[in-house]
Amino acid sequence: MIDTEYKVIKLVSGENIICEMTDYDTHYEICNPLLMNVIPRMRKEGMTESLALTRWVQPFTEQRYFEIEKSKIILTANASAGLAIYYEKCLESHDEWINEGPTHEELEEIEEEEYNELLEELDISEDKIYH
């Protein structure tokens, strides 16, 4: 059972997002926004549309909360129950995908290995001094 009420937001940019939203005097605060992409498909039965939810800003930041000026929003509507379930499943999938990434230690190890490989490719040893 879904306890949270999710909002579908149409921005003046033309983008549609789904998220949790809190209303303040001058702006909205949104949490975990996902971009809504409607994909038309031709099938034997005729034209159909499917919905893909992708990360909106998160590929560029670790933040989960964002402020949007009220003047940048055309409309808001409550998400349907089916869309809310799909949204939660997509959030779970994105979190699992993010958590499957390498740890900080693994990244440092990878960077050190790449650095050593570059040194080998360039035939530069650490005992040589360049001025």
Side-chain angles (χ1 to χ4, degrees):
M1 179 88 185
I2 297 170
D3 297 329
T4 308
E5 187 174 280
Y6 301 114
K7 295 288 186 178
V8 173
I9 300 174
K10 179 144 188 97
L11 301 170
V12 295
S13 66
E15 294 173 309
N16 296 311
I17 58 175
I18 180 171
C19 58
E20 295 176 51
M21 185 175 81
T22 305
D23 189 353
Y24 292 98
D25 289 336
T26 59
H27 67 279
Y28 293 108
E29 182 180 79
I30 62 171
C31 177
N32 294 320
L34 294 181
L35 181 64
M36 301 173 69
N37 295 303
V38 177
I39 303 164
R41 298 177 192 253
M42 182 55 94
R43 302 194 182 235
K44 288 187 276 187
E45 306 83 29
M47 185 65 91
T48 62
E49 295 178 334
S50 59
L51 177 65
L53 298 179
T54 58
R55 295 179 296 156
W56 181 54
V57 179
Q58 286 85 344
F60 312 109
T61 181
E62 298 290 322
Q63 260 180 251
R64 291 190 178 266
Y65 293 88
F66 305 91
E67 291 182 8
I68 298 181
E69 294 176 29
K70 289 186 174 187
S71 64
K72 304 299 180 197
I73 295 177
I74 295 175
L75 66 87
T76 65
N78 295 334
S80 69
L83 179 56
I85 292 168
Y86 181 49
Y87 171 71
E88 288 183 347
K89 295 289 183 196
C90 288
L91 285 178
E92 287 173 18
S93 295
H94 289 145
D95 285 343
E96 287 172 11
W97 179 75
I98 289 168
N99 292 331
E100 287 177 3
T103 64
H104 181 68
E105 292 79 21
E106 290 171 330
L107 284 175
E108 285 180 351
E109 186 177 311
I110 290 167
E111 289 172 1
E112 186 175 328
E113 288 173 10
E114 288 177 354
Y115 174 75
N116 290 335
E117 287 174 13
L118 284 173
L119 287 178
E120 288 173 13
E121 286 177 19
L122 295 173
D123 192 29
I124 298 174
S125 62
E126 294 180 358
D127 58 343
K128 292 183 181 178
I129 297 175
Y130 294 92
H131 295 278

